[in-house]
Amino acid sequence: MIVRHLKDTYGTDREVHAENWISRRLLLADDKMGFSMHETLIKAGTSTEMHYMNHLEAVYCIAGRGEIKTLADGKVYPIETGTIYALDQHDHHVLTGFEDMRMVCVFNPPVTGREVHDEHGAYPAAAAVE
Ligand code: 9YT
């Protein structure tokens, strides 16, 4: 069994800092669960364009407020504590935090922990498969 705490990621290579967010990777590919699970802090006042062409991602908001816009159709969905969104169509989107938002993110296939967003706001496929 694997037992970890969020604080075990602080200051380690499981904590990834980007301009608009901090991702703390609780479970990664080498944990062999078939998915990865992260807690991501979206910083207040930021908007981030993302397009995970190689992954499915579900995102559950446990604190804060914001919105997500799907770029294919221009629809905007409010996000508050208790909202989940699932990018089941690899949806190209923009995520905006009105406040700091704490999000629990699950990726299938799992990320390895080494990925950074490319110019499309995606993580590469090759690095995701171990
Ligand atoms: C919500 C979202 O997709 N933020 C970008 C970071 C990503 N969730 C990650 O790597 O944890």
Side-chain angles (χ1 to χ4, degrees):
M1 188 164 83
I2 301 165
V3 180
R4 293 194 181 115
H5 192 281
L6 183 67
K7 66 182 183 227
D8 298 333
T9 67
Y10 296 170
T12 72
D13 58 8
R14 288 176 171 272
E15 183 178 67
V16 176
H17 289 254
E19 189 177 348
N20 293 349
W21 48 263
I22 302 168
S23 173
R24 298 183 170 111
R25 277 79 189 262
L26 293 158
L27 293 171
L28 285 168
D30 63 3
D31 292 312
K32 306 272 188 262
M33 292 294 290
F35 56 86
S36 59
M37 182 176 287
H38 320 171
E39 186 183 292
T40 301
L41 173 72
I42 305 292
K43 297 179 187 175
T46 64
S47 289
T48 307
E49 182 175 338
M50 290 174 269
H51 195 183
Y52 292 118
M53 288 166 280
N54 304 309
H55 298 82
L56 298 171
E57 186 194 24
V59 180
Y60 181 58
C61 177
I62 57 172
R65 275 186 330 106
E67 66 182 25
I68 182 169
K69 179 177 183 177
T70 43
L71 295 180
D73 56 12
K75 285 190 181 165
V76 177
Y77 303 86
I79 297 174
E80 61 181 13
T81 303
T83 304
I84 188 169
Y85 64 84
L87 303 168
D88 64 328
Q89 305 297 317
H90 302 276
D91 310 72
H92 189 190
H93 63 285
V94 176
L95 180 64
T96 299
F98 301 146
E99 305 169 350
D100 281 351
M101 293 196 295
R102 290 176 63 194
M103 318 292 263
V104 177
C105 308
V106 176
F107 279 84
N108 170 23
V111 304
T112 66
R114 292 185 294 276
E115 298 86 348
V116 292
H117 281 168
D118 66 13
E119 69 275 22
H120 306 294
Y123 293 142
V129 180
E130 298 247 296

